[in-house]
Amino acid sequence: MKRFASIDIGTNTILLLIAEVKNSHIKPIYEEETVVRLGEGLQQKGLISEEAMKRGIKVLKNYIKKCRTKKVQKIFAVGTSVLREAKNSKYFLKKVKQELDLPIQIISGKKEAYLSFLSVSMDIKKIKKPLMIIDIGGGSTEFILGKDRSVIDWVSLPVGSVRFTENFIHSDPVRSDDYEKMQNEINRIIKRIPQKPKPYLIVAVGGTATTLASVELGLKRFNPKKIHHFILSKDALKKQLALYRSLTLEERKKIPGLSPLRADVILTGGTILYLTMEKLKCKSIMVSCHGVRYGVLYERLFKGLINTTNL
């Protein structure tokens, strides 16, 4: 059976998926997520720092070794918000190509939205009613409304867990005035979320959503089997946000289910999700462990799976 890999290079994390592919089906055999914070300081200088580049290249080098060990035939690598925005992203891509012989495709917000929707729609094929996919990243959040493998509407907004943490959170614990300013700006930006037709099911993908589910389940170790398709209620999310606001960063790092490397951005990511649920008048969402990296393999390996009229 053939093996392929996809790498999703984001503002906060770099993710690896190695899968066996047969008959339009993807069977994951290895997955890894590493918090690299490639976009650290991007909002202030507009550049990926040399230190962040070193961290990114080190992780990519390790991922390539894993792919060789697992006898992967081809690797597909994509970059999202951080590489779209950084003034020196071409320099980073050149370094990666020279040092690792790994080409990286920078995808647009439109393409990122499409791949997120594709990953979820292929996972829950039985649901034929409208779906809303929310992909909260470090630099941007994609909102995609679709039905039966067809995208109806979408938007990529410049609101992300790393971006807004750097822009608004300047105290530890978080001050009420800083938090209120952040909420107001999130609410202003998410006015553009597509809402018609009303979604039957809302699915959240990405590290923010899976971390919130992990905390709610009280997991000592990240467990995709328990997190994938977990239903997170708005009330439970509200309680988590109150907890994060009441604690210092060091105290948050001790919460079961919360990776210490995400402790500084989980309040912001969770707030983006909560305010979105409020706007959509949604009492609960489904959490998915799939995302862009799954969509990459579906798109590259199985053509014609989805209607891309609106993309």
Side-chain angles (χ1 to χ4, degrees):
M1 194 175 292
K2 293 182 178 180
R3 290 184 174 183
F4 297 89
S6 61
I7 298 175
D8 174 7
I9 302 167
T11 304
N12 192 40
T13 58
I14 299 180
L15 299 100
L16 169 67
L17 166 65
I18 298 175
E20 292 182 341
V21 180
K22 185 179 180 181
N23 299 329
S24 299
H25 178 70
I26 290 175
K27 179 185 177 182
I29 61 170
Y30 183 82
E31 294 190 69
E32 188 170 343
E33 176 190 78
T34 309
V35 176
V36 176
R37 205 60 64 85
L38 196 62
E40 187 175 45
L42 181 66
Q43 296 305 301
Q44 286 72 41
K45 297 181 179 179
L47 299 169
I48 301 172
S49 70
E50 286 292 334
E51 283 303 312
M53 286 190 190
K54 288 178 183 178
R55 294 195 299 265
I57 290 173
K58 181 180 179 181
V59 168
L60 291 172
K61 187 175 182 179
N62 288 336
Y63 283 0
I64 290 171
K65 286 182 180 178
K66 293 271 174 60
C67 288
R68 288 172 181 161
T69 300
K70 300 287 185 182
K71 298 181 180 179
V72 168
Q73 292 175 281
K74 191 171 181 60
I75 303 171
F76 303 103
V78 300
T80 56
S81 177
V82 62
L83 295 182
R84 289 196 294 266
E85 295 183 26
K87 297 173 184 176
N88 60 344
S89 60
K90 289 183 180 179
Y91 173 69
F92 175 69
L93 265 60
K94 185 177 179 180
K95 280 176 68 73
V96 172
K97 185 69 172 66
Q98 288 176 341
E99 295 184 30
L100 307 177
D101 194 28
L102 177 69
I104 299 170
Q105 178 191 8
I106 300 177
I107 58 175
S108 65
K110 178 188 293 188
K111 187 64 167 285
E112 189 176 356
Y114 159 54
L115 294 174
S116 292
F117 182 79
L118 183 56
S119 70
V120 174
S121 65
M122 291 299 294
D123 178 44
I124 49 177
K125 298 177 183 178
K126 294 180 180 179
I127 297 178
K128 304 299 181 181
K129 296 180 180 180
L131 300 173
M132 167 71 80
I133 315 302
I134 304 172
D135 187 352
I136 300 171
S140 66
T141 298
E142 282 66 51
F143 301 89
I144 314 100
L145 185 61
K147 179 183 178 183
D148 194 19
R149 297 199 203 173
S150 293
V151 172
I152 298 168
D153 200 0
W154 69 277
V155 67
S156 178
L157 300 178
V159 52
S161 60
V162 175
R163 181 193 297 269
F164 269 48
T165 297
E166 290 187 355
N167 286 352
F168 292 97
I169 305 303
H170 308 300
S171 56
D172 185 27
V174 179
R175 291 196 308 261
S176 295
D177 58 337
D178 284 345
Y179 189 67
E180 186 176 342
K181 288 176 184 176
M182 184 175 75
Q183 285 182 301
N184 291 338
E185 184 62 8
I186 293 171
N187 278 323
R188 185 187 70 79
I189 293 175
I190 64 174
K191 287 178 181 178
R192 296 166 54 195
I193 296 175
Q195 298 185 66
K196 294 182 180 180
K198 184 177 179 181
Y200 167 78
L201 177 66
I202 297 176
V203 182
V205 302
T208 289
T210 57
T211 298
L212 293 169
S214 180
V215 171
E216 197 59 32
L217 289 163
L219 300 179
K220 293 182 180 179
R221 291 183 179 180
F222 190 84
N223 188 333
K225 291 182 179 180
K226 290 187 177 181
I227 292 170
H228 192 53
H229 293 178
F230 178 77
I231 302 300
L232 179 66
S233 72
K234 191 173 84 167
D235 288 343
L237 177 52
K238 185 176 182 179
K239 290 178 182 177
Q240 279 198 42
L241 297 180
L243 175 64
Y244 301 145
R245 288 186 62 188
S246 70
L247 302 177
T248 65
L249 176 58
E250 290 304 313
E251 289 170 335
R252 289 199 296 275
K253 289 179 179 180
K254 299 174 184 177
I255 296 175
L258 175 57
S259 165
L261 294 175
R262 284 192 179 274
D264 59 336
V265 298
I266 191 60
L267 173 62
T268 300
T271 301
I272 294 168
L273 181 58
Y274 181 81
L275 294 177
T276 297
M277 292 174 73
E278 279 209 321
K279 181 171 179 56
L280 296 175
K281 297 179 173 59
C282 168
K283 293 183 179 180
S284 64
I285 55 100
M286 176 186 286
V287 175
S288 172
C289 289
H290 294 187
V292 168
R293 64 198 184 282
Y294 278 81
V296 167
L297 291 188
Y298 281 124
E299 186 211 27
R300 300 293 178 89
L301 303 175
F302 312 126
K303 301 296 182 182
L305 288 173
I306 195 166
N307 183 344
T308 59
T309 304
N310 292 325
L311 289 168

